[in-house]
Amino acid sequence: MVSIVIGAQWGDEGKGKIVDLLSKKSDYTVRFHGGNNAGHTVINKYGTFKMHLIPSGIFSSRAVIANGVVLDLPTLIQEMTDLKKAGIKLKKRLFISQRCHLIMPYHRILDKILDEAKGSRKTATTGRGIGPVHSDKVSYNGIRITDLLNKPIFEEKLGVALTVKNKVIKALGEKELDFKEINKQFSEYGEIIKPYITETYTLLNNAIKQNKNILFEGAHGIFLDNDWGTYPFVSASSILPSNIAQGAGVNPKYLKNIIAVAKAYATRVDNGECPVPTEITGELGNFIREKGHEYGATTGRPRRIAWFDVELLKFAKEITGFNQLAVTKIDMLTNLPKIKLCTGYRLNGKKINYIDVDAEALRKVTPIYEEFDSWSQDLSKIRKYQNLPRNAKKYIERIEKLVGVKAKYISVGAEREATIIR
Ligand code: IMP
């Protein structure tokens, strides 16, 4: 059976935890897009891990980094070292596609320069070189793992890239990069990862033929999708489930479960540039941020806090076709004076939908809210839905009714076990 976990907001929905839970029944967990801009937190018996590139399922299943992932090799190698230290075996359990594009040192520099140049309209990227590596990929200037394993080709491609990039880097006031140094570093990285490299297309399609359980791990969230998110405050890849075709060579017709993960409120990491219609500012926002430890897993930046937005979730459902919902961090809403749920938007007095407006108009919409009472009970030990406080059930059931999908997973705490499964 083939399933996928996707984020239904702006990332940081708690996908890592749900993947960690579901991967117990998976043979393979697969990353198929994005890079180390993602940060999936996993807390289990091996410890606490912030996974950026290796699928969060590595603790229970084999892990595949498919061709759609852009790879930052120092980050990957660090993650491999940390996992080995924690006692996780990687030999014959970690597979990396030879088609993955490499994030090169110039991508990180260009990411910073290009984003800063946009001033107050910047995307506030994670600075990991994600936009520039994708630009090189689609303009046929990328360097892939397969090139890394072929020394003359790698050197030729690196030489061409540096000739062009160094001119730009120098013109924009940064220090030029040294061919020899990068060549040496990357040749060492190549030796370390060589045993894990394979054609993951064949691996995954053979696994499908053998009826294995495959779990795709989406990174980021739908509203960071390059086409359908809040452009230009988005990331560079496609976040849709159908992208498993491009990003892993797996036909989306095999997908049985599309599990959307949404936090019981919403968050967005940037410096305030992206429109977030339901943002909670002031004391209450700060309170939820501290209580929920809402700081970016990748950059450590404080996340902006917002009320749950059904308008966005309905769009996410239409475009992804998700048939299961996981609601995470419901315990963070305990003891709030009131809980608000956004059911739609108005612009200039008229009801409008997310898809009707661009990011600039989205700044001007007024959310339509319903209000709910909170509860005071500690939820962290609850494992059965019927034991949740009445008000928590009321809130969840209203979301389910408006979105039209049942919340199969409700997360009431950080650990793998702290989940209600219905
Ligand atoms: P980039 O992906 O580093 O280019 O960043 C583009 C935008 O997406 C920035 O606003 C980031 O904060 C945001 N972003 C990228 N990946 C994630 C993620 O995994 N979680 C939350 N925000 C992300």
Side-chain angles (χ1 to χ4, degrees), residues 53-54 65 71-84 90 94 96 148 185-194 196:
L53 283 167
I54 297 180
I65 300 180
L71 271 185
D72 183 79
L73 292 180
T75 306
L76 174 69
I77 291 166
Q78 185 60 53
E79 244 165 58
M80 290 166 67
T81 309
D82 293 346
L83 287 169
K84 280 188 206 158
L90 298 182
L94 174 66
I96 304 169
L148 184 63
Q185 259 176 2
F186 274 72
S187 135
E188 287 165 14
Y189 298 152
E191 286 308 310
I192 300 173
I193 61 162
K194 211 169 170 177
Y196 302 94

Side-chain angles (χ1 to χ4, degrees), residues 40-285:
H40 296 167
T41 306
V42 176
I43 305 174
N44 59 25
K45 64 181 180 191
Y46 301 101
T48 297
F49 300 85
K50 295 215 187 293
M51 312 295 291
H52 298 289
L53 283 167
I54 297 180
S56 312
I58 185 75
F59 301 95
S60 319
S61 77
R62 292 174 172 187
V64 179
I65 300 180
N67 57 285
V69 176
V70 289
L71 271 185
D72 183 79
L73 292 180
T75 306
L76 174 69
I77 291 166
Q78 185 60 53
E79 244 165 58
M80 290 166 67
T81 309
D82 293 346
L83 287 169
K84 280 188 206 158
K85 259 195 220 149
I88 306 297
K89 285 207 178 69
L90 298 182
K91 283 250 163 70
K92 302 216 167 98
R93 294 189 70 245
L94 174 66
F95 303 90
I96 304 169
S97 166
Q98 62 218 20
R99 295 169 192 268
C100 289
H101 279 247
L102 296 176
I103 299 180
M104 304 300 291
Y106 45 81
H107 289 133
R108 283 192 297 273
I109 298 175
L110 291 170
D111 190 4
K112 191 173 137 249
I113 298 174
L114 295 172
D115 208 33
E116 285 300 328
K118 292 193 274 185
S120 66
R121 289 268 187 282
K122 67 171 177 283
T123 300
T125 72
T126 60
R128 303 300 191 258
I130 303 299
V133 71
H134 282 89
S135 322
D136 276 352
K137 177 177 177 176
V138 297
S139 58
Y140 344 122
N141 294 307
I143 303 183
R144 305 196 295 174
I145 288 197
T146 186
D147 304 322
L148 184 63
L149 303 182
N150 184 336
K151 205 168 166 45
I153 294 284
F154 180 78
E155 290 182 353
E156 186 188 318
K157 290 196 173 184
L158 178 63
V160 173
L162 284 182
T163 308
V164 180
K165 313 282 185 201
N166 267 341
K167 287 203 176 83
V168 180
I169 288 172
K170 192 175 166 199
L172 294 166
E174 295 283 329
K175 194 167 162 266
E176 286 174 86
L177 296 168
D178 181 56
F179 175 90
K180 266 197 194 144
E181 202 180 302
I182 299 177
N183 194 25
K184 181 169 174 289
Q185 259 176 2
F186 274 72
S187 135
E188 287 165 14
Y189 298 152
E191 286 308 310
I192 300 173
I193 61 162
K194 211 169 170 177
Y196 302 94
I197 295 168
T198 190
E199 180 47 81
T200 54
Y201 169 90
T202 316
L203 181 80
L204 290 172
N205 282 288
N206 282 343
I208 288 172
K209 280 185 199 130
Q210 292 161 15
N211 284 325
K212 300 279 187 205
N213 287 328
I214 301 179
L215 179 64
F216 283 92
E217 176 174 352
H220 327 304
I222 292 304
F223 296 94
L224 292 174
D225 182 273
N226 196 264
D227 282 271
W228 300 105
T230 42
Y231 194 92
F233 310 103
V234 293
S235 192
S237 59
S238 164
I239 286 154
L240 304 184
S242 53
N243 190 35
I244 64 167
Q246 186 239 316
V250 172
N251 194 317
K253 75 177 180 190
Y254 294 117
L255 277 175
K256 285 277 174 296
N257 299 313
I258 301 179
I259 304 142
V261 186
K263 246 187 301 217
Y265 48 101
T267 56
R268 174 73 171 92
V269 208
D270 61 12
N271 305 318
E273 296 85 354
C274 177
V276 177
T278 61
E279 183 164 16
I280 311 170
T281 51
E283 237 173 73
L284 185 58

